[in-house]
Amino acid sequence: GGAAGGPGAAGPASLELERVRQLATAQLLALPAKLMGAHRRVREAEIALYKADLLPAWLPNWASRLQLAAGALTAAEQEVMAVEAQLAGKAEAVVAAAAAASQPLPKLPPAPAPAVPLGSIADPIAAFDAKRAVLAVAMVATALATAEEAAAEKAAKEAAKVEASDDDDDEEGEEDEAPEPVVTENRKAADAAAAAAAAADREYDAFSVPRPMDLAAEMATLSKRVYERGVERAKVRTLLCNVYHHSLHGRYGVARDQLLMSHLGDVIHGMDISTQILYNRALVRLGLCAFSNELIVEAHAALMELAAGARTKELLAQAVTSQRYGERNPDQERQERRRLVPYHMHINLELVEAVHLFCAMLLELPNLAHNAFDPKRRSAVVSKTFRRYLDQFERQVFNGPPENTRDHVMTAAHLLLEGEWRKAADQLTSMAVWDLLPDPARTRAFLRAKIQTEGLRAYLISSYAHFDSLSLSALAERFDLPPNETHALVSKMLLDGTIHACWDQPTDTLAVQRMEPTKLQFLALQFADKCAQLVEANERVLDSRTGSYGYKYEPRDGYGDRSRRPWVERGDRGGHHGGGGGGYKPWHERRDGE
């Protein structure tokens, strides 16, 4: 430029015009990047303002942060308007410079295409930037085409005016024919860019979160990063989040294996409260996943400890601990409230209770169907909570219609023990809580099938001794089961020794072998049971007096401090391994007066 504008250069005017044209073209081509940067700053300012608005108002610098974020947003919006206002002027300058230098107009570069199609971008911010890039190029192309058409129209009018003034022979009233509009290459490019911008805008408006993605691969990648570089607490929480994730999506086997191989159940009590809450939530979700996969024993084992008590809400961080479990100062209560999970993350407690009680009912039903004097009824206890609820239900003088989840399950258990499996199935399948599971229709069909099979087991255990023989077809018809399935279930009970009978193959009947105990045997069983209770009570009293009960892991070489054996008198102190007077002696070795 300095050489072109020198005093001795050839054609200084033409070189100056070319320099002006190149400068105007460069300024126009830089506008899309400026527009993109201005829109990016608007987006960043909006995010900063949103974060500042979420801050608690009691912070000392809350107002200043909010005011600063609002000012940054206003400045970014003004910058966008300023850049957009320069479009027309820069485009006209390029057209004028190109006409003065007798050079063609520049061609704008296409919009930078994203690395992946706009519809498959997982990050909404990247999708927004891709849309704005297409729109910025379209705005500059439209401004350039409009400026070119305006310059061409102005030149045509001036040429027509000169031609009209030179032609004096034309009639004054005759109107000139309007020239046909010419579609320039820049107008075609501008229309194409505008169409691309409109398509990108529509695609962005249809943007949804989350985007289609390989969630399992994403979870595996992020978990591997934490396992390699994270601290111990982060690794544990990542594992629990993985267990919760697999359980939520029905992959019970993967979630169970991860939880068992980690041995978290042995060390979770020594971790912080937030991690313990996450462990409880993952365990409950694992139990619900097992139930959805029709695994009754596994579901009951997962929910037995958490759902059996009255503090399920507190253990899942869905409510504040009641005051009756201990006094709390305001600081402790504030910390506990901070640990509460949001409402949209709550696990439905009615569903947890329904699954737990239903699984306990199916596992306890064969034991409850035994005779009251049968040792199996008392020894094989699966769920003490379910038995306590059932005893309370049966002790009531009048039981009205069920009002809650527990009443529905207890009523169904009572009906099953009486042989009314159809009413029990209707009672359980009518509960609305099953609609919260992924496949309610499949769950209700599974409930009905389990009630049929367990109802048949309970019926045979409680009533088979009153028959000489039972027909296979009659049993299958009574419980609406296929004959093959009924035969398999009864044969399994015969092999387990649950009932004492044998199959008569020619007639398809079950021949019962009389094993009913006599009245004397019943009384003997009662007497043995009470003797066992008395012995256990005496052992507990003796253990409480000697100090061994409840101190299983105490050292065996002594009794510990005096507070653990308050019955020892002052004169009884001394070593009990010999040596020194006043040592401890067993009661049968003491003389009178000792």
Side-chain angles (χ1 to χ4, degrees), residues 222-241:
L222 297 177
S223 302
K224 183 179 179 181
R225 185 183 306 171
V226 176
Y227 292 151
E228 290 177 353
R229 300 180 176 87
V231 297
E232 190 65 27
R233 180 177 181 272
K235 294 179 182 179
V236 172
R237 294 183 65 86
T238 301
L239 175 66
L240 293 174
C241 290

Side-chain angles (χ1 to χ4, degrees), residues 564-576:
R564 299 223 173 171
R565 46 191 188 112
W567 68 93
V568 179
E569 298 296 333
R570 184 179 302 273
D572 289 338
R573 295 181 180 176
H576 57 276

Side-chain angles (χ1 to χ4, degrees), residues 24-25 27-28 31 34 85-95 144 147:
T25 303
Q27 292 177 352
L28 180 67
L31 285 181
K34 286 186 177 180
Q86 296 176 7
L87 289 175
K90 297 293 183 181
E92 292 176 358
V94 167
V95 172
L144 182 61

Side-chain angles (χ1 to χ4, degrees), residues 334-349:
R334 192 180 305 112
Q335 291 179 0
E336 189 170 355
R337 291 187 180 277
R338 287 178 180 176
R339 287 193 292 264
L340 295 179
V341 297
Y343 182 76
H344 69 278
M345 296 174 60
H346 281 197
I347 300 175
N348 191 277
L349 298 180

Side-chain angles (χ1 to χ4, degrees), residues 195-207:
D201 199 11
R202 289 192 301 269
E203 200 166 0
Y204 179 78
D205 291 338
F207 190 89

